[in-house]
Amino acid sequence: MLHSFNVDSGVNCSEYGWKPQKSFISSHGGPCAATLTYSVKLVKPGVLSYTYQYTDPSILFNFEAQNDQCQSIDDVEKYKWPRTTDEAKWRTSTVQLKAGLNVLYWKTVGMGFSEKTRKSQPVRIKKIEISGVAYTSECSPCAPGSYSSLGSKLCTPCPENTYSESGSSDCTPCDSLTQYAPKGSSKCLERPPCTKQDFYEMHTPCDDMKMTQIVYKWMEPKICRDDVPTSVPLPTVTEKTPCPPCNPGMEYSNQSMCAFCAKDHYSDGSEPCKPCPPSTAPNYGLFFKWWPEIPPGMYSRCMSLEEGGCMSNLVWQPAGDHIRTTTGQSLDAYLILSLDVPGFRTKERIINGQSAEIGTVSFTFELICSQACTFVFMMGSNRKPVTEIQSWIGRTPKQHFSYDVTIDDAYTFNWAFQKVTIGDNVTSEGVANDVAKIYDITVLNTVSGGASECQPCPQGTESQGVLYRCIPCPAGHYLKDSENLECFPCPYNTYLWKALPQGPESCKSCGPGLRSEDGQRCYSDCRVYLFDGTFFDLTTLSM
């Protein structure tokens, strides 16, 4: 059995993957694609039977079986995606195999994984049985794209830009000028002429005069040829232009990079941070609408079930007024943009049996796709596994989406783009240039980030040691507006819903048959009034 990993940049993949656990072997998925491989030679047609447990759909779990020519078995789609199981339940899957060499693969990769959020439930395999094997053990040749030396227990994938055929003892280098090969390749591929999709642009750090310029760099690893007549050359550096403003709540640090304002300070992004005036408090949040660089707390990564599916470390690229996915990965790879949010400032509240909003995540995006691409917004936290919030398929015009957060926790929000669904039969020419663009991301009422403004305190401030904090409106009251600091009670039969109440729209109606006098909760007084004037007094039933 071979444990191989598709390394994600900056992650130690040796900590993840398939691990023996006495009575079973398991994989948590994690940020690396983990593959459990078993090669077996059948002397006659046989049957593979394996018993597994797969309860967490945030992990992609894939099975494949190939012959010595890397050809998939018949009815591959029937076996490719094992069904999920109920908690603590096991399921057995059977696969028909042909005589000869069969290479079996069980692959996992975790969607939306973050070191700061809850780990997914592992995939477990407790039994693998194969019929049709010879009575005596024999060595099976290594699969194409791998090799082993004399006496080896395992087959090792060929390094990048090398290849091997079945049963090889070493890997053959490709022609470095005209050919390339991803890790674990069975053949070399011709290097194509360079196109506009083979390089990207980036802004240089702001200089002392707050000027920047656009430079162009080749995608790494560089697989195209720029020495042939039909290739597109790397553009020259542009002239210097004024640096864009920082995002709200941030300022230029050391005249080159944007950083969040200090505690109790604010900025609209175009001016240096200033301290909040007396009787005001900073309204912390994350406000990303300019993209000269990837902001603090945000990172991108590529996830693929295929060896060599993630060929470039550049996955999401800042592009000034938006951030976009890049080219250079396999078509079915997930291009993931993640944002860590440590928590929110408002305590959780239950009103009328429903969790009230304590924060909001919103973003504006666009999908430019020639076919059925997929864009998924997900979140994971310490208390909950990765969950899909909303998804979109195919070309999608520029639009805005908002999601209310009701549970205070440390979150990782994820945006995942996939050009082609795994298993779709499409050509790269049709979808290679498909792209997802995100124009802005806003997270309100966070415990970290920066303040774009300072909100007035309804009833002044109170001392907390050397610090001062707002005295909020009484429970069930809202602030009329930013100019009028007077607190107003919610009208009768309404209750306060907003985490940061300002304006009468912060009060929501209790609904039919419910009452409220304090603006904090709704209740039934056990008196029912029908539209035809009929009245029922049920108060005696509650005694």
Side-chain angles (χ1 to χ4, degrees):
M1 292 187 178
L2 169 68
H3 306 258
S4 63
F5 304 92
N6 184 10
V7 178
D8 179 34
S9 177
V11 176
N12 181 8
C13 285
S14 63
E15 298 179 3
Y16 306 98
W18 292 94
K19 298 183 182 295
Q21 304 289 342
K22 293 185 178 180
S23 61
F24 57 84
I25 188 170
S26 67
S27 171
H28 273 281
C32 309
T35 304
L36 176 66
T37 307
Y38 187 71
S39 299
V40 60
K41 188 174 183 179
L42 304 187
V43 296
K44 61 181 180 179
V47 176
L48 161 69
S49 173
Y50 66 95
T51 303
Y52 68 94
Q53 190 178 96
Y54 172 34
T55 60
D56 193 340
S58 68
I59 296 180
L60 294 180
F61 182 34
N62 169 248
F63 169 78
E64 288 188 26
Q66 298 178 347
N67 60 21
D68 57 355
Q69 301 299 317
C70 293
Q71 296 171 331
S72 297
I73 62 173
D74 296 335
D75 299 326
V76 62
E77 295 300 326
K78 181 179 178 181
Y79 309 108
K80 196 169 186 178
W81 302 107
R83 294 161 53 193
T84 55
T85 63
D86 294 332
E87 194 72 33
K89 299 293 185 181
W90 296 87
R91 186 189 302 277
T92 299
S93 179
T94 58
V95 182
Q96 301 294 323
L97 301 177
K98 292 183 177 181
L101 179 65
N102 289 266
V103 185
L104 312 176
Y105 303 92
W106 291 267
K107 303 177 182 180
T108 62
V109 63
M111 290 293 297
F113 179 88
S114 170
E115 294 285 356
K116 298 182 180 180
T117 57
R118 175 185 179 273
K119 284 189 176 181
S120 54
Q121 293 295 319
V123 175
R124 299 181 176 95
I125 297 177
K126 72 173 182 178
K127 183 170 62 175
I128 299 175
E129 295 180 345
I130 303 173
S131 64
V133 298
Y135 289 106
T136 57
S137 299
E138 60 182 37
C139 295
S140 298
C142 289
S146 63
Y147 71 98
S148 69
S149 56
L150 183 64
S152 296
K153 295 181 179 180
L154 301 174
C155 296
T156 303
C158 288
E160 290 184 0
N161 298 323
T162 66
Y163 75 99
S164 73
E165 298 177 349
S166 176
S168 297
S169 59
D170 56 16
C171 299
T172 304
C174 300
D175 184 302
S176 59
L177 176 63
T178 62
Q179 297 176 322
Y180 76 99
K183 181 181 178 181
S185 293
S186 60
K187 63 179 180 179
C188 294
L189 304 174
E190 294 298 318
R191 293 184 181 271
C194 292
T195 67
K196 292 181 179 180
Q197 282 69 49
D198 292 307
F199 58 81
Y200 64 96
E201 66 179 48
M202 62 176 295
H203 287 266
T204 60
C206 292
D207 59 21
D208 294 340
M209 303 300 294
K210 291 190 175 181
M211 302 291 285
T212 185
Q213 57 189 154
I214 296 176
V215 297
Y216 298 87
K217 294 187 176 182
W218 294 112
M219 294 280 192
E220 294 293 342
K222 182 171 177 279
I223 63 173
C224 66
R225 295 186 61 180
D226 58 3
D227 60 342
V228 294
T230 57
S231 66
V232 176
L234 198 66
T236 57
V237 178
T238 64
E239 294 184 359
K240 289 190 174 183
T241 57
C243 291
C246 290
N247 284 303
M250 306 181 78
E251 66 176 349
Y252 277 109
S253 175
N254 298 325
Q255 302 296 320
S256 61
M257 307 291 283
C258 291
F260 288 119
C261 292
K263 191 177 183 64
D264 293 328
H265 287 62
Y266 75 101
S267 172
D268 63 0
S270 61
E271 299 290 338
C273 297
K274 303 175 183 178
C276 286
S279 295
T280 66
N283 182 22
Y284 291 115
L286 303 172
F287 313 92
F288 303 136
K289 63 179 183 179
W290 298 106
W291 304 91
E293 59 196 5
I294 293 184
M298 186 174 286
Y299 51 94
S300 66
R301 63 195 186 281
C302 170
M303 287 189 174
S304 174
L305 283 169
E306 301 302 325
E307 189 71 49
C310 295
M311 295 180 286
S312 172
N313 292 333
L314 186 66
V315 182
W316 282 78
Q317 172 193 344
D321 64 345
H322 68 276
I323 188 170
R324 59 185 292 165
T325 54
T326 62
T327 58
Q329 321 293 356
S330 64
L331 299 182
D332 60 0
Y334 286 92
L335 311 181
I336 302 174
L337 182 68
S338 299
L339 174 63
D340 288 335
V341 178
F344 295 85
R345 286 180 288 151
T346 303
K347 293 182 179 180
E348 298 174 18
R349 299 173 298 151
I350 302 295
I351 301 178
N352 286 358
Q354 295 182 340
S355 298
E357 165 247 321
I358 63 170
T360 303
V361 182
S362 60
F363 56 94
T364 304
F365 72 100
E366 179 183 15
L367 305 181
I368 303 174
C369 303
S370 58
Q371 298 189 38
C373 63
T374 302
F375 185 60
V376 185
F377 175 51
M378 303 173 290
M379 73 173 186
S381 69
N382 289 329
R383 287 191 273 176
K384 295 185 65 177
V386 177
T387 304
E388 177 183 317
I389 304 302
Q390 185 74 27
S391 63
W392 298 264
I393 297 178
R395 178 178 290 270
T396 304
K398 188 176 181 180
Q399 61 182 260
H400 190 74
F401 178 80
S402 181
Y403 175 76
D404 289 339
V405 179
T406 58
I407 299 175
D408 185 22
D409 203 352
Y411 286 90
T412 296
F413 297 99
N414 302 284
W415 295 263
F417 179 68
Q418 186 185 39
K419 295 181 180 180
V420 175
T421 302
I422 298 174
D424 285 356
N425 185 21
V426 297
T427 60
S428 60
E429 290 79 7
V431 299
N433 297 329
D434 288 359
V435 63
K437 296 182 179 181
I438 297 179
Y439 294 91
D440 59 70
I441 296 176
T442 301
V443 187
L444 299 178
N445 201 35
T446 59
V447 296
S448 63
S452 61
E453 61 179 356
C454 297
Q455 293 184 325
C457 296
Q459 300 187 32
T461 57
E462 60 181 348
S463 175
Q464 294 184 351
V466 297
L467 300 177
Y468 290 87
R469 289 292 177 264
C470 280
I471 301 175
C473 286
H477 289 61
Y478 63 89
L479 191 66
K480 183 176 181 181
D481 54 49
S482 59
E483 302 297 330
N484 189 332
L485 303 187
E486 186 176 356
C487 295
F488 288 81
C490 281
Y492 279 111
N493 300 330
T494 67
Y495 64 96
L496 198 63
W497 174 255
K498 290 287 186 180
L500 301 173
Q502 182 171 306
E505 62 273 11
S506 301
C507 302
K508 183 180 289 188
S509 174
C510 286
L514 297 176
R515 305 282 185 268
S516 177
E517 287 85 25
D518 58 7
Q520 301 181 59
R521 63 185 182 89
C522 297
Y523 66 93
S524 172
D525 62 1
C526 297
R527 292 180 173 86
V528 180
Y529 299 86
L530 302 183
F531 290 108
D532 61 2
T534 306
F535 165 69
F536 297 94
D537 187 347
L538 307 178
T539 55
T540 57
L541 299 179
S542 62
M543 296 181 179

